[in-house]
Amino acid sequence: MTNVEKAIELKEKANEHFKKQEYTKAIELYSEAIKLDPTVSTYFGNRSISYLKTECFGYALADATKAIELDKTYVKGYYRRAAAYMSLGKFKQALKDFETVIKVRPKDKDALLKYNECSKIVKRIAFEKAIAVDDYKKSVAESIDIESIPVEEDYKGPRLDDKITPEFMKDVQIAFKEGKKLHRKYAYKIILGVKALFEKLPSLVDVHIPDDNKFTVCGDIHGQFYDLLHIFELNGLPSEDNPYLFNGDFVDRGSFSVECILTLFGYKLLYPNHFHMSRGNHESQTMNQMYGFEGEVKSKYSLQMYELFTEVFNLLPLAHCLNKQVLVMHGGLFSNDSVTLKDIKAVDRNRQPPDEGIMCELLWSDPMPNYGRAPSKRGVGVQFGPDVTEKFCNFNNLKYIIRSHEVKAEGYEVAHDGKCVTVFSAPNYCDTMGNKGAFITMRGKDLEPQFETYSEVPHPNVKPMAYASSLFSFM
């Protein structure tokens, strides 16, 4: 059998794995096919879409570009490159690729729809920049008069009067579990309440855990509300005696993001010193626009409420340091070895995440097994090796770091000689990945991580990405 024939066979096997949503295995086989025959645009195109499915947007972009270089008429290559550009918030570049597609296929309704949607986004961004005034930011929060919002007589749900209580939080979770909505007046109260709390916090929050006390760290939740409830069933509800840190990506992908974020914000209000939240890369406008949170809030409440969430997300802390020994951030480490905890604390975070620098890398970076650093597979941030982690920990007198941001088969992974721990708390991510979820518990005296894993629980028949941008039906 020739290399060309072997490559075709590997591609067919990869296609079968892709159909079964086994994307990592598909990537491996497409890669083997490319090694045997690197002249076929389809192999790169197919690997590109597999990378898109696993959120490796940088790799997806590179593969789609290579596919186009090999075959300028390969329309799927332009589609996939446009999807990668959109995932990275590069809408102008995406629009150019959609223009190419509709020139080739002028009667393709799907291509025309995507071109028009992308064009609207580009125009909207340009308009927002044109009317922006740098020295004055109009606050949505200041425009909301809670007292003027009426509560209708037929509203039967939980009521929040003067102060949030454990009973109210239990009632909210029951109502959400039954598919009911919290009245907008009380939702606004919660969001405005946590805004005032987050405004007072630094970008790096120091957390003290007494020697004999338990502390729990959870990773990405991604709108999987029923799995969030399951964590509380397994590990107990948050309280002053049962503190939690949720490490970003509370929203998007899953279609119960509103329920997740209002529950988490409610607990932050109830236990401000014993319930902690870090920003993830999905607590941003670009991600929310593409992956569902904006659409979900507008569907369940209003555009104004979504804009208020955006203001609050800008105020979320970027990292937490546990007993001055364990740093917890959503993404990972940095493109240079000189970053200190003091540098992180000094970051001006009240903005949308930038494309480079400390804030960007805290939200987007990933560990890798190789030494040194490499360009990010996501196209944002960096990949960092075990030597980088060791240097950072030694330089800042840390035992290890905890981060999230990546699906792991068992819900967690210990890497870099035990100094880099990943925790991901959304089991069977997007109802397709088949992974377990996990959370970490530890005691203050030694901060040794203990892992509890769990499988997904049933949820109502609302698919992930139900509220996502129509641009993401690109596959």
Side-chain angles (χ1 to χ4, degrees):
M1 187 184 290
T2 66
N3 281 356
V4 169
E5 291 170 332
K6 286 178 186 175
I8 292 169
E9 191 175 275
L10 285 165
K11 186 258 294 185
E12 294 302 324
K13 287 180 181 177
N15 289 350
E16 291 303 311
H17 285 288
F18 184 89
K19 288 174 188 173
K20 295 175 186 175
Q21 298 173 334
E22 296 168 356
Y23 304 120
T24 302
K25 186 62 180 174
I27 288 167
E28 288 176 11
L29 293 171
Y30 289 134
S31 298
E32 288 181 32
I34 287 167
K35 283 180 184 175
L36 292 170
D37 187 358
T39 66
V40 182
S41 60
T42 310
Y43 300 167
F44 287 96
N46 288 3
R47 191 171 69 174
S48 176
I49 194 172
S50 302
Y51 279 135
L52 283 167
K53 291 287 191 180
T54 55
E55 302 183 9
C56 296
F57 307 127
Y59 288 177
L61 182 62
D63 270 359
T65 300
K66 181 65 177 177
I68 293 165
E69 287 173 2
L70 289 168
D71 182 359
K72 294 284 194 296
T73 66
Y74 182 53
V75 176
K76 285 183 178 178
Y78 294 99
Y79 257 114
R80 283 158 194 177
R81 190 166 70 179
Y85 277 135
M86 287 188 303
S87 298
L88 294 166
K90 296 180 178 180
F91 297 105
K92 280 187 179 179
Q93 293 94 323
L95 187 61
K96 285 182 180 177
D97 281 336
F98 283 132
E99 283 174 353
T100 302
V101 174
I102 61 172
K103 281 177 185 174
V104 177
R105 296 180 177 175
K107 295 182 180 179
D108 186 326
K109 290 181 181 178
D110 185 60
L112 281 168
L113 173 68
K114 287 178 171 56
Y115 171 79
N116 289 330
E117 285 296 308
C118 194
S119 181
K120 285 179 189 174
I121 293 172
V122 170
K123 287 174 183 175
R124 189 180 87 180
I125 292 170
F127 175 73
E128 287 171 353
K129 281 184 179 177
I131 64 170
V133 179
D134 289 341
D135 58 358
Y136 176 70
K137 293 181 180 179
K138 187 178 178 183
S139 170
V140 177
E142 291 173 7
S143 69
I144 298 166
D145 180 7
I146 288 182
E147 297 311 315
S148 70
I149 301 174
V151 178
E152 295 76 13
E153 289 184 11
D154 60 351
Y155 175 70
K156 305 296 183 187
R159 290 175 181 264
L160 175 57
D161 297 318
D162 296 329
K163 196 174 181 183
I164 203 161
T165 64
E167 291 70 33
F168 171 80
M169 288 307 303
K170 288 176 184 175
D171 290 344
V172 164
Q173 289 168 83
I174 291 168
F176 286 162
K177 192 173 183 180
E178 293 173 350
K180 298 173 183 174
K181 266 176 38 176
L182 182 65
H183 194 278
R184 67 187 184 283
K185 178 169 187 163
Y186 307 131
Y188 274 124
K189 268 193 173 183
I190 289 173
I191 303 165
L192 289 170
V194 294
K195 180 178 183 290
L197 288 177
F198 289 135
E199 280 174 335
K200 298 172 185 174
L201 294 175
S203 292
L204 170 61
V205 177
D206 287 303
V207 179
H208 175 65
I209 310 167
D211 282 357
D212 294 325
N213 286 30
K214 183 181 87 168
F215 190 84
T216 302
V217 181
C218 297
D220 304 41
I221 297 297
H222 274 302
Q224 296 186 197
F225 176 70
Y226 294 83
D227 296 309
L228 173 61
L229 293 186
H230 191 213
I231 292 172
F232 292 153
E233 288 169 6
L234 293 169
N235 195 55
L237 289 171
S239 70
E240 291 185 358
D241 295 323
N242 194 28
Y244 280 83
L245 165 56
F246 279 82
N247 196 28
D249 282 13
F250 322 115
V251 301
D252 280 341
R253 296 288 193 178
S255 295
F256 305 95
S257 293
V258 166
E259 290 79 3
C260 285
I261 196 64
L262 288 177
T263 298
L264 296 173
F265 277 0
Y267 275 121
K268 179 63 184 175
L269 260 186
L270 182 56
Y271 304 114
N273 299 317
H274 298 85
F275 193 89
H276 309 277
M277 299 174 70
S278 287
R279 191 174 189 173
N281 64 302
H282 276 266
E283 278 70 57
S284 71
Q285 282 177 304
T286 300
M287 294 291 109
N288 294 165
Q289 187 173 46
M290 301 309 301
Y291 291 98
F293 184 60
E294 179 181 338
E296 184 181 341
V297 180
K298 285 158 71 173
S299 174
K300 293 178 179 177
Y301 289 99
S302 66
L303 173 60
Q304 182 192 51
M305 186 177 287
Y306 167 70
E307 290 173 342
L308 180 60
F309 273 119
T310 295
E311 282 189 9
V312 178
F313 287 168
N314 284 350
L315 297 168
L316 283 162
L318 302 176
H320 292 74
C321 194
L322 313 181
N323 286 0
K324 302 189 185 299
Q325 296 177 73
V326 177
L327 185 68
V328 187
M329 80 293 278
H330 180 72
L333 296 181
F334 311 101
S335 50
N336 70 75
D337 290 326
S338 62
V339 176
T340 65
L341 300 186
K342 189 176 178 182
D343 294 330
I344 297 170
K345 191 165 282 190
V347 171
D348 177 10
R349 71 186 186 278
N350 188 6
R351 54 179 170 153
Q352 287 301 298
D355 292 333
E356 58 185 12
I358 290 175
M359 181 173 173
C360 168
E361 290 161 357
L362 282 167
L363 299 178
W364 280 97
S365 291
D366 295 290
M368 65 178 184
N370 302 328
Y371 279 72
R373 292 179 174 87
S376 171
K377 60 188 178 182
R378 300 175 190 267
V380 189
V382 299
Q383 293 187 91
F384 58 96
D387 55 326
V388 175
T389 303
E390 184 171 8
K391 282 180 189 175
F392 177 80
C393 289
N394 290 341
F395 192 50
N396 288 281
N397 297 313
L398 298 171
K399 290 182 70 171
Y400 62 96
I401 65 169
I402 297 175
R403 40 88 63 183
S404 301
H405 196 39
E406 286 184 287
V407 182
K408 298 296 177 184
E410 293 302 311
Y412 72 94
E413 180 182 76
V414 180
H416 295 185
D417 300 317
K419 291 187 181 294
C420 181
V421 175
T422 298
V423 59
F424 191 87
S425 300
N428 194 24
Y429 181 44
C430 291
D431 289 356
T432 61
M433 299 301 285
N435 61 290
K436 290 181 180 176
F439 55 82
I440 298 170
T441 60
M442 62 184 75
R443 298 280 170 180
K445 60 186 174 186
D446 56 18
L447 300 176
E448 287 299 314
Q450 307 295 321
F451 304 95
E452 180 153 358
T453 64
Y454 49 91
S455 298
E456 81 276 14
V457 295
H459 63 72
N461 189 24
V462 183
K463 292 181 179 179
M465 302 280 281
Y467 301 94
S469 168
S470 59
L471 283 167
F472 262 76
S473 59
F474 54 81
M475 271 80 93

